Amino acid sequence: MDALQMLENALEAPQQALAVLGLAVALAGLLYLLLDAIRYRSIPELNVPITEQEASEQLQGAELYTPTTQLPKDKIPCYDPSSMQFLGYAKAMSPAEVRAVIAEAKQAAQVWRSSSFGQRRRLLKVLLKYIIAHQQEICRVSARDSGKTPLEAVLGEIVVTAEKLSWLIKEGEAALKPSQRGAGVMAFYKSARVEFIPVGVVGAIVPWNWPFHNIINPISAAVMAGNAIVVKVSEHSSWSIAYYGRIVEAALAAAGAPPGLVRFVTGYGDAGHALVTGGVDKVVFVGSTEVGKKVMAAAADRLTPVTLELGGKDAFVVCEDADLNQVVPIAIKAAFLNCGQNCASGERFIVQRKVYGKFCERVTEVAKSMRQGPTLGAGPMDAGAMCMPGSVQKVQRLIDDAVAKGATVLAGGKPGPANWHPQQQQQSQAAAAAPAAAAVAAAENGGAVPPPSPARLTRRSAAAAAAAAGGSSDGSSSSSVGQFYPPTVITGVTQEMDLYYEEAFGPVMTVIPFDTDDEAVAFANDCPFGLGSSVFSGSKRRARAIASRLEAGMSSINDFNATYMCQGLPFGGVKQSGFGRFAGVEGLRALCVPKAVAEDAWPFMKTSIPPLWQHPVGPAAAPFAVALTTMFYGPSIGTKLAGLVGVLKAVTGVGMASSSGGSSKAKSKAC
């Protein structure tokens, strides 16, 4: 019985140990959750007011806006490019007002440069907490101001912004702490480091394609690096800055940041010029190559350092061994996300001939099925509108030129009626027909219904008036008045066509066949731009080999633009895509002055000038320098020993006197 009892006890012991371990793990988990909840509650909650126009899914009674080149000097008209509904005016700031804002930011910069990393992280945590809790509001405002779909807004405004903030919170301090460096050979007794000093005030000029991310991206990096920042937003997405600015102001106040640390500028080109030339300490410009050159020229007068992230026409290489089931959906996103209005959009799809036909067939099928229309209130859409006035016409010019010279359009290619889902279109037509029916009924009853004023037409009344006239509100057969260009697939594009080299910045997928990897690389590099790139192959080794030869600042292997989701990586390009980097360690440090610092490593060893080099120098000074250099840097032990012997001779004076005497005798003979 004793042996059996002992056996039972032995079997029960591991079970009891596991039970205790399980209980300990559970308690540790509960403690972690409790601490996490406490940490979360310690982050201030922001109460940011939001207007009815910003909160509404659909705007009732909004006027229609017609873009014009004759713009008022003191204000910026704002409208929804997917519905053309007028949203109001934003202030067009004068150069003097911009310079005043910069002066205010300089005062805040003097305070913030001494802030702790803990306070900087707290500011970013406050922003992140609000963003995650208010994704719908942020995305709705972005969609209304820039014409993108809500899904696109989540992907491009929220996800990458959250990733940026998370990376800065976790790794920003480590990137900005002093970096120890090797002191070298002769200065072995020194301690060498690089300190990253805030530049002061960063001036950022950002585009319209991602209104929220494009401001939070430079703001978060600048404040983490200890700087103030002035952001000039695009005149084509100035409406949203009212709400987004309130978010930033509330976050600054909650984190105890000085007033003026982050300021916004709205205006036209003269406001941007004033920002570049008005005394900022660093300029970050994101936009077209043409304007980037002007920014660089303006910054040259004060030698203000500039980071330029300019255009792109990214290559998307598909090898015959790639998985088309994976590639095709990614290719659709690469070309058509945000209607192709991305600096790193895939524009040139270089596909190996063996799978070229299948690839074209499958992407064409998807492109033709994509629904396009007003992005808010009309149900799910696959594609939104072109944000900037004139973009539709620019894309059409490129397509028309290519077709005239022999290219073939497989899908899209004309800015015809928006491709709404039939049920959505019926609902919209029914809503538009209701006022017209009321007008007919009133007329039959003898009532007089005056025609609406063209300057005050609402979207619904415009559709009703057009229906009564037997046409449409924009003079075409379209059921939508937005700035739409359909997802387009085009083949047969050659070098003599404008589309081959010019950035489309629209929903255009150009598909080019290749036979060998060398040919794919040649096609990809035959381009003035060099921002991003993608390579798809069943062999990682092959994909890496191709990517390593591409003239681009970034490459994603078997993915598209994955480098931007990895916020620890730098973002930027080569050639006409600009220079400098933002994002990653390199981008964060680019907002600082890299200050070199050297000091004695040990208190008992200090620098002093060797007696032989002290003035007035003697005949052994130069030989001593030569010997010392040989001793430290000689490429072999033998040469180092020879240098050591020379040092000893110079120090002891051996051979120096005779050399001096010989020199005196030579001088006497010469006399």
Side-chain angles (χ1 to χ4, degrees):
M1 291 294 296
D2 291 341
L4 183 60
Q5 187 66 42
M6 291 175 62
L7 179 60
E8 290 177 353
N9 291 339
L11 291 174
E12 289 176 359
Q15 295 176 354
Q16 292 173 350
L18 286 174
V20 171
L21 179 61
L23 180 60
V25 169
L27 290 174
L30 288 173
L31 179 60
Y32 177 82
L33 292 175
L34 178 62
L35 292 174
D36 183 68
I38 293 172
R39 283 194 297 266
Y40 179 79
R41 285 184 169 274
S42 70
I43 302 172
E45 297 272 359
L46 299 184
N47 182 18
V48 181
I50 187 167
T51 67
E52 183 179 351
Q53 196 180 49
E54 294 161 349
S56 300
E57 191 72 15
Q58 286 185 298
L59 301 182
Q60 301 298 325
E63 301 172 12
L64 283 181
Y65 176 77
T66 301
T68 175
T69 56
Q70 302 299 318
L71 298 171
K73 292 184 178 181
D74 61 341
K75 57 186 179 181
I76 304 167
C78 305
Y79 66 97
D80 179 347
S82 76
S83 68
M84 305 308 292
Q85 291 176 317
F86 183 65
L87 303 175
Y89 290 101
K91 180 180 177 59
M93 297 173 67
S94 68
E97 290 173 314
V98 175
R99 288 190 288 270
V101 165
I102 295 172
E104 195 177 328
K106 280 187 174 295
Q107 293 181 354
Q110 292 301 316
V111 177
W112 190 251
R113 67 185 294 120
S114 301
S115 62
S116 67
F117 283 113
Q119 186 179 14
R120 299 175 194 179
R121 276 194 299 270
R122 182 174 177 81
L123 172 56
L124 301 186
K125 289 178 180 178
V126 170
L127 276 172
L128 181 58
K129 183 176 182 178
Y130 182 87
I131 290 168
I132 297 303
H134 296 84
Q135 297 181 52
Q136 289 185 327
E137 293 96 323
I138 293 169
C139 291
R140 183 190 306 113
V141 169
S142 171
R144 179 154 290 144
D145 202 16
S146 62
K148 60 177 52 63
T149 68
L151 172 60
E152 291 170 335
V154 174
L155 297 176
E157 304 281 29
I158 303 298
V159 175
V160 290
T161 301
E163 186 65 40
K164 173 84 172 188
L165 292 170
S166 297
W167 182 82
L168 287 170
I169 291 167
K170 293 175 182 177
E171 302 186 40
E173 180 178 357
L176 294 170
K177 278 188 171 181
S179 174
Q180 290 296 131
R181 303 294 173 86
V185 178
M186 192 176 289
F188 65 91
Y189 59 96
K190 293 291 184 180
S191 172
R193 66 181 180 274
V194 178
E195 295 179 354
F196 300 99
I197 310 301
V199 295
V201 177
V202 177
I205 301 178
V206 299
W208 40 264
N209 52 346
W210 301 101
F212 184 68
H213 177 70
N214 285 345
I215 65 165
I216 301 300
N217 184 33
I219 287 172
S220 58
V223 298
M224 187 64 193
N227 298 299
I229 183 170
V230 179
V231 182
K232 196 274 180 187
V233 299
S234 171
E235 59 268 37
H236 303 297
S237 59
S238 294
W239 174 75
S240 56
I241 198 59
Y243 172 49
Y244 297 158
R246 292 194 298 273
I247 296 173
V248 173
E249 287 295 327
L252 292 172
L261 184 67
V262 178
R263 292 299 305 270
F264 296 102
V265 169
T266 53
Y268 298 110
D270 59 341
H273 185 271
L275 179 61
V276 175
T277 60
V280 297
D281 303 293
K282 167 85 179 188
V283 173
V284 177
F285 174 79
V286 182
S288 70
T289 301
E290 178 185 3
V291 178
K293 291 178 180 179
K294 295 179 181 179
V295 168
M296 188 175 176
D301 187 54
R302 296 182 68 253
L303 293 180
T304 305
V306 179
T307 292
L308 299 178
E309 193 276 280
L310 308 177
K313 197 171 180 68
D314 289 6
F316 189 107
V317 179
V318 181
C319 298
E320 61 185 358
D321 56 352
D323 179 4
L324 289 188
N325 291 327
Q326 177 207 16
V327 172
V328 169
I330 295 177
I332 292 295
K333 285 294 183 188
F336 303 138
L337 180 70
N338 200 27
C339 266
Q341 299 169 114
N342 309 294
C343 52
S345 277
E347 289 205 13
R348 297 173 299 137
F349 291 76
I350 303 166
V351 182
Q352 197 152 19
R353 200 173 299 275
K354 186 175 180 180
V355 294
Y356 173 79
K358 290 181 180 178
F359 179 86
C360 289
E361 179 182 342
R362 293 180 63 172
V363 296
T364 299
E365 181 182 2
V366 176
K368 288 182 175 180
S369 71
M370 293 178 69
R371 298 161 297 179
Q372 186 174 39
T375 53
L376 293 174
M381 291 291 173
D382 300 299
M386 304 289 283
C387 179
M388 188 171 170
S391 294
V392 171
Q393 291 78 7
K394 175 197 171 183
V395 173
Q396 192 60 55
R397 172 182 62 80
L398 294 174
I399 297 297
D400 288 345
D401 173 77
V403 171
K405 294 174 181 176
T408 301
V409 172
L410 302 182
K414 290 289 182 183
N419 182 25
W420 294 28
H421 188 279
Q423 183 179 0
Q424 296 165 338
Q425 198 163 4
Q426 289 170 8
Q427 292 172 348
S428 174
Q429 290 171 348
V440 171
E444 289 176 349
N445 293 327
V449 181
S453 168
R456 305 288 295 179
L457 278 178
T458 65
R459 176 177 175 79
R460 182 170 292 182
S461 63
S472 70
S473 58
D474 65 349
S476 72
S477 59
S478 174
S479 59
S480 172
V481 295
Q483 296 172 173
F484 297 110
Y485 198 89
T488 297
V489 180
I490 186 169
T491 61
V493 176
T494 55
Q495 293 172 321
E496 65 271 15
M497 303 173 187
D498 294 342
L499 182 59
Y500 189 89
Y501 291 114
E502 190 174 334
E503 182 183 24
F505 215 71
V508 178
M509 176 187 288
T510 300
V511 191
I512 302 170
F514 76 91
D515 292 306
T516 66
D517 290 2
D518 288 344
E519 191 178 15
V521 171
F523 277 133
N525 291 339
D526 185 19
C527 179
F529 301 102
L531 191 55
S533 61
S534 298
V535 182
F536 289 80
S537 171
S539 166
K540 280 190 177 180
R541 177 179 294 181
R542 181 185 183 187
R544 289 169 181 163
I546 294 174
S548 68
R549 298 167 61 192
L550 300 184
E551 296 170 355
M554 302 166 289
S555 291
S556 295
I557 305 297
N558 288 325
D559 205 344
F560 167 73
N561 209 14
T563 52
Y564 199 55
M565 274 303 295
C566 302
Q567 279 290 313
L569 294 176
F571 185 93
V574 298
K575 300 194 284 190
Q576 294 294 303
S577 291
F579 53 81
R581 297 293 184 266
F582 63 79
V585 174
E586 294 79 2
L588 196 55
R589 290 178 174 178
L591 300 174
C592 300
V593 176
K595 186 175 183 178
V597 178
E599 60 184 356
D600 293 329
W602 306 291
F604 56 84
M605 196 168 188
K606 298 179 180 180
T607 298
S608 61
I609 303 299
L612 290 176
W613 289 349
Q614 295 180 13
H615 297 287
V617 298
F624 174 70
V626 171
L628 192 67
T629 303
T630 303
M631 183 184 76
F632 274 106
Y633 302 107
S636 69
I637 294 177
T639 53
K640 290 180 185 295
L641 289 174
L644 176 60
V645 171
V647 167
L648 294 174
K649 285 183 177 180
V651 170
T652 60
V654 175
M656 294 298 111
S658 61
S659 174
S660 176
S663 176
S664 299
K665 291 177 182 179
K667 288 180 181 179
S668 298
K669 289 181 179 179
C671 291

